[in-house]
Amino acid sequence: MKETRKMIGRLKRALRKLRETLRAMIFREKDKNMTRHNQEILDCLNDYLKIRKPGYAVLLRGSWGSGKTFFVKEWLDALKTKKEDDDDFYTLEPIYVSLYGMTTTSQIDEEMKKAVSPILYSKFMKTAGKMFKVAISAALRYNIDLNNDGVGDMKMECTIDPKALLGSEDPHVKGNRLVVFDDLERCHAGIKEVMGYINYYVEHIGCNVVIVGDDDKLKKKQEFQEIKEKTIGREFELDPDVDAAVDCFVCDENIRDKDYLGHNKELIKACFKASRTNNLRLLKQSLCDFSLMMERIPSKTKQHPAFEKIKQRLLANFVAVYAEDKGQEVNMDDYGRKLGEEFSDQMALDLIGEDKPVKTEMTKKHEKYNVAGLTDKYYAMVPHYADFVLEYLRKGRLNMGFIETEIRKDDKKPWEVLQNYMCLENDVLTKNVDLNAGYLQNGEFGSVDEMLSSAFIMLMIIHWELTPKYSAETVSKWCAKTMREKFYGGCKSQNELHDMRQHVMACVGYYVGNQVPEVKTFLIELGKVYAEIEGKLKNDLTVFLETLSDGKIEELYNVYSGVMPDHSTTYSLSPIFSRVDPEKFVNGFAGLSNEGKRKVISLIVGHYNDALNIQNPEDMVYHYVDDLKTLPEIIKLLEQKADECQLVDKMLVNMLKNNLVQSAERIKAADAVRIGCQSGNDTIN
């Protein structure tokens, strides 16, 4: 049954992997189609310009940040270039006006005048007639060059009328009159009034008009839906052109570190496409913020050889996290924790063969980049990198500790290089063996794991006689010294010491086992250090008995009911006073309240009675014999303390003393019987 469940789990994971692969293929094809679609729209717009006085406008739709303005301006730039090559194709400069924040049509008029003014200096003015030049002079002061000699002949002030200019039949004004109205959804004037204004250029003047707007917001404007057919003849919905946008962004003079971004633009494109967010404004913002953050990192850190790889990972995560956090509806807070929980839940379901829905919002985000091959190589949406960017986004905090940790991870230590010693060239092997020996000799390790890794790889190299300079005995002594002074020696209690020893033994089994003679030598040395330190430390119960207080009585009972640090037996079957400082115990006991004294007496009396009140106490007494080392001194001090006490205090101190006297005598008697029985058995044998 268990094997069947595991098989079902593996099959489900295989099916998920297949679905991810298919989704990736579909997404790549969709991306190609998006680029092709925009090119088709561009062809349609160019065809639209060939129509003289078309009588209708074109609407370019797209979601916020999808690159509509970018697309239009790129198109206009291309038209200007084509006009310079072919004067007959287009003469007037295209007029571009943003309606953002406009509240009246008179404000739109002012923007139109500003947009028309550059026409006075355009190419066709060099050949325009003198009277025509004067007629279209702007309200601002312009030098009018009547004879084309490059010197202004007069200055005039007059009112320019864009409608008159664009509707002019003067032969000097050749080609189509193109006007682009951008940000329609952001115009604060009444939609009917604005569309009426635009319609004048369409119907009465005969301009080619392109309107640009956010499709989602325009759909919510009921009035727009009702009147758009009067003005708009064709509609196109733009898809974000990520490739073109990134190519443009990395050349933007306003973006810092543009050389680096240009070098990594394929990574930027891949991460943004994987997000499926399609908000190019967020992409540009992520690149700007990434560049600004890089300026805050100290030069010394950026010069480290390992930083280049980390910088690339940060770039991938800036693009991905900005898109996921600001471009999606799901909140990204606690991304790393939530992703870990979702992975654990899914793994548990796979193992038991159940197919229950789990919350996978963060998993879905992670998988998009994993499918695109960006997780393994660039750490895109890997929790600790994503959380670093989120912290920068939310709090503006640059976590340099994280960056320094990552640098150290990518900075290979000599024992990490030596892991592959069979493939190393002789000079590389020798160099890293010497470096590794330096670490071992000086104990320069941040954790016991590092020391064990360094030691075990060194012992294997010694075992295979790949270095004549060092021996297993030398390595063992170096490590024993480090364990004594730093790791085992840094433990504060037997419990802590035993936990570390368990960890050390687990590492031994993980690395090489103990079949190699050099490893046996090593383990013997570490064992000696353990015994030495263990003899100096006290267990938790001993510490509690030396630091008695009323507030710790309940905790004392909890500890007593537990097991010894090495898990060999319980405290109830062990000597409890063998390592206790008699003076500390007696002073602590005397300082308790009378209720506290009674509770401690109850614990101690019960401890000995459980073993010594049975039919054959000699069978159990060996658990308690070591207490005879300190009980006489404790009894003596209690007797002295009783002389200093009065009333109930005196009675309770004497009660504990008398019970310990009886317990000590019974331990001695039972132990004598035990020794006698052992001697008899030896004689018989």
Side-chain angles (χ1 to χ4, degrees), residues 240-308:
D241 189 346
V242 178
D243 291 329
V246 173
D247 290 342
C248 178
F249 293 161
V250 299
C251 295
D252 191 335
E253 293 295 332
N254 295 319
I255 291 186
R256 295 168 168 81
D257 212 1
K258 63 178 184 176
D259 290 340
Y260 178 80
L261 296 176
H263 182 70
N264 288 277
K265 64 182 180 181
E266 295 307 317
L267 170 60
I268 297 170
K269 293 176 184 178
C271 288
F272 189 74
K273 289 176 182 178
S275 75
R276 305 170 201 171
T277 303
N278 298 334
N279 192 318
L280 297 175
R281 294 185 188 216
L282 289 181
L283 173 59
K284 187 172 184 179
Q285 182 184 347
S286 69
L287 299 180
C288 288
D289 283 358
F290 168 79
S291 299
L292 289 170
M293 187 209 68
M294 281 298 149
E295 292 184 357
R296 291 175 58 185
I297 297 176
S299 299
K300 184 178 179 180
T301 301
K302 289 189 282 191
Q303 291 169 3
H304 194 284
F307 182 74
E308 193 61 30

Side-chain angles (χ1 to χ4, degrees), residues 465-577:
E465 299 181 353
L466 298 178
T467 176
K469 295 175 66 174
Y470 309 101
S471 67
E473 290 75 14
T474 302
V475 171
S476 298
K477 288 180 180 178
W478 285 339
C479 290
K481 181 174 181 290
T482 301
M483 292 298 287
R484 182 180 295 107
E485 296 177 354
K486 192 169 186 179
F487 297 122
Y488 280 166
C491 295
K492 299 295 188 295
S493 67
Q494 285 184 352
N495 298 68
E496 188 178 344
L497 177 69
H498 179 73
D499 288 343
M500 179 170 286
R501 183 172 182 269
Q502 290 293 95
H503 181 73
V504 168
M505 298 311 295
C507 290
V508 170
Y510 173 78
Y511 284 108
V512 292
N514 57 9
Q515 300 302 313
V516 179
E518 288 80 2
V519 174
K520 289 183 178 180
T521 302
F522 178 77
L523 294 179
I524 289 171
E525 288 297 320
L526 293 194
K528 291 177 181 177
V529 177
Y530 174 82
E532 175 188 332
I533 302 298
E534 196 269 345
K536 298 177 181 178
L537 295 176
K538 300 177 179 181
N539 58 47
D540 287 350
L541 182 61
T542 300
V543 173
F544 269 89
L545 289 172
E546 290 183 346
T547 58
L548 288 174
S549 67
D550 287 311
K552 297 172 68 175
I553 297 297
E554 295 301 324
E555 197 171 353
L556 172 65
Y557 270 79
N558 291 334
V559 172
Y560 177 76
S561 64
V563 296
M564 294 287 285
D566 60 0
H567 297 269
S568 59
T569 185
T570 62
Y571 283 113
S572 61
L573 292 176
S574 308
I576 61 174
F577 285 111

Side-chain angles (χ1 to χ4, degrees), residues 332-467:
M332 284 280 290
D333 289 342
D334 294 326
Y335 168 76
R337 179 183 61 79
K338 291 177 182 176
L339 181 66
E341 290 175 355
E342 289 174 9
F343 278 174
S344 298
D345 291 344
Q346 189 59 58
M347 187 178 297
L349 291 176
D350 286 345
L351 288 174
I352 63 176
E354 293 187 15
D355 189 17
K356 293 181 180 179
V358 294
K359 295 180 180 180
T360 59
E361 294 296 345
M362 300 306 169
T363 304
K364 290 176 182 176
K365 291 179 180 294
H366 180 270
E367 284 180 350
K368 289 189 292 186
Y369 302 89
N370 193 27
V371 169
L374 297 166
T375 300
D376 290 339
K377 188 173 183 180
Y378 299 108
Y379 288 30
M381 293 304 288
V382 167
H384 50 296
Y385 272 89
D387 287 343
F388 170 88
V389 178
L390 281 169
E391 186 177 21
Y392 182 80
L393 249 176
R394 298 280 192 273
K395 303 176 182 178
R397 179 170 179 254
L398 178 60
N399 188 349
M400 281 303 300
F402 167 78
I403 293 177
E404 295 298 336
T405 299
E406 288 300 295
I407 285 177
R408 288 194 294 272
K409 280 184 183 177
D410 282 354
D411 223 357
K412 282 195 172 182
K413 302 296 185 184
W415 56 88
E416 294 173 326
V417 176
L418 292 173
Q419 293 292 333
N420 198 27
Y421 62 88
M422 295 294 287
C423 300
L424 297 178
E425 298 299 323
N426 290 344
D427 57 338
V428 177
L429 174 71
T430 302
K431 174 185 174 182
N432 281 280
V433 165
D434 289 338
L435 290 173
N436 197 40
Y439 275 91
L440 289 166
Q441 184 173 7
N442 299 318
E444 298 174 353
F445 301 104
S447 68
V448 71
D449 298 64
E450 285 189 345
M451 190 202 77
L452 293 172
S453 298
S454 173
F456 285 134
I457 197 64
M458 194 74 161
L459 292 172
M460 293 306 297
I461 289 172
I462 292 169
H463 175 73
W464 294 111
E465 299 181 353
L466 298 178
T467 176

